[in-house]
Amino acid sequence: MGDVDERRAGRQLELIGEALGAAGRTGAELWLRGGWAVDFTLGRVTRDHGDIDWFTWAEGAEALARELMRLGYTEVAGPPAELQRDFAKDGLESSFTLIDRDHLGRIVVAGGPWAGTPWPQDLLDGGPGGLGGLSCPVAPRAQIEIKRMMPVWDPSLPRREKDQVDIALLERHSGS
């Protein structure tokens, strides 16, 4: 996928550390998703990342948002706030997709047009991944399913080469 901008990746790792610290202070739980989840699973940076993607419970999102803003993050417009909260710091973006549980205990999309839609049930299963001295929960099997299914769930989203590469890396890592 090309050379990695090590300076950008290093700064994004610092922001991952800041977000984890903010979550710890507010009691919010975070799980990496997307490309950084792949990298934390493998323990190495595999490619450049446009942003940092997270899952967090909707109930703790407001306290987390206040703490991020206290740290110098700016909330930016994006999807509906009950679906996802987006922030920027130093020109780098972090997106927090909000999750909830439905009356059956399934993990679901917290709000917005897909509110109540179930996520893969192993969304939060998996141990901690690590990179750059940081540790964060990741769920590789769920990442594979999400990357495979997102263009099916939302046909307006194209299949992306980076997702195919991520799937192959995760499958090779897990022996699938």
Side-chain angles (χ1 to χ4, degrees):
M1 294 297 287
D3 294 325
V4 173
D5 180 338
E6 291 183 30
R7 184 171 172 218
R8 179 181 172 90
R11 186 64 188 123
Q12 286 177 316
L13 280 169
E14 290 173 13
L15 295 178
I16 290 170
E18 282 185 10
L20 291 169
R25 288 187 295 280
T26 62
E29 291 181 88
L30 293 179
W31 293 264
L32 274 169
R33 65 183 183 90
W36 278 109
V38 173
D39 290 359
F40 269 63
T41 298
L42 301 176
R44 63 185 172 87
V45 178
T46 60
R47 62 175 168 85
D48 282 325
H49 301 286
D51 59 5
I52 304 163
D53 297 310
W54 300 93
F55 283 114
T56 192
W57 296 108
E59 67 186 354
E62 192 57 42
L64 179 61
R66 283 192 304 272
E67 181 65 9
L68 291 171
M69 288 187 279
R70 187 187 71 73
L71 294 171
Y73 289 73
T74 302
E75 191 156 11
V76 296
E82 64 274 10
L83 171 66
Q84 180 172 298
R85 305 286 294 266
D86 294 344
F87 297 88
K89 183 174 182 182
D90 302 331
L92 299 171
E93 295 184 13
S94 297
S95 297
F96 297 81
T97 296
L98 306 183
I99 55 175
D100 203 352
R101 289 200 185 270
D102 67 8
H103 69 284
L104 299 174
R106 297 177 300 183
I107 300 168
V108 298
V109 175
W114 299 283
T117 302
W119 281 104
Q121 287 309 291
D122 59 357
L123 184 71
L124 309 179
D125 296 348
L131 185 60
L134 298 171
S135 177
C136 184
V138 291
R141 287 186 323 271
Q143 292 303 311
I144 292 170
E145 182 176 350
I146 291 167
K147 286 178 173 289
R148 273 199 184 119
M149 295 302 297
M150 196 55 73
V152 174
W153 295 332
D154 185 348
S156 70
L157 298 175
R159 292 209 180 271
R160 303 177 302 184
E161 180 185 348
K162 68 179 183 176
D163 292 330
Q164 299 305 319
V165 171
D166 288 349
I167 290 167
L169 288 169
L170 289 171
E171 287 180 335
R172 225 179 351 250
H173 178 76
S174 67
S176 318

